[in-house]
């Protein structure tokens, strides 16, 4: 049982770098994660990898939260 089981996290700028690392960390503790980035293709790819690596729920979305 993870520390964040049953929680949902929204991570912006999550296609790569620090945002992707934060999303992976949250998922590793059981959170479902929604990744957003201007680079929609990168956000989807990172979300897919997270779901495969941690067996959890992850979705990648394109968008500008600014």
């Amino acid at each position: 049982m993870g520390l964040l089981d049953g929680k949902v996290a929204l991570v912006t700028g999550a296609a790569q770098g620090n945002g992707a690392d934060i999303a992976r960390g949250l998922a590793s503790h059981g959170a479902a994660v929604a990744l957003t980035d201007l680079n929609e293709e990168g956000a989807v790819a990172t979300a897919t990898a997270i779901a495969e690596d941690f067996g959890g729920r992850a979705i990648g979305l394109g968008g500008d939260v600014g």
Side-chain angles (χ1 to χ4, degrees):
M1 180 172 274
L3 179 65
L4 299 175
D5 285 349
K7 303 294 183 183
V8 178
L10 172 64
V11 183
T12 61
Q16 62 185 4
N18 290 337
D21 291 341
I22 290 167
R24 292 182 69 78
L26 292 165
S28 75
H29 288 285
V33 292
L35 293 75
T36 64
D37 199 286
L38 289 173
N39 175 2
E40 181 175 9
E41 185 176 305
V44 170
T46 301
T48 300
I50 288 171
E52 290 173 358
D53 291 348
F54 299 106
R57 296 179 305 160
I59 186 170
L61 305 165
D64 182 357
V65 297

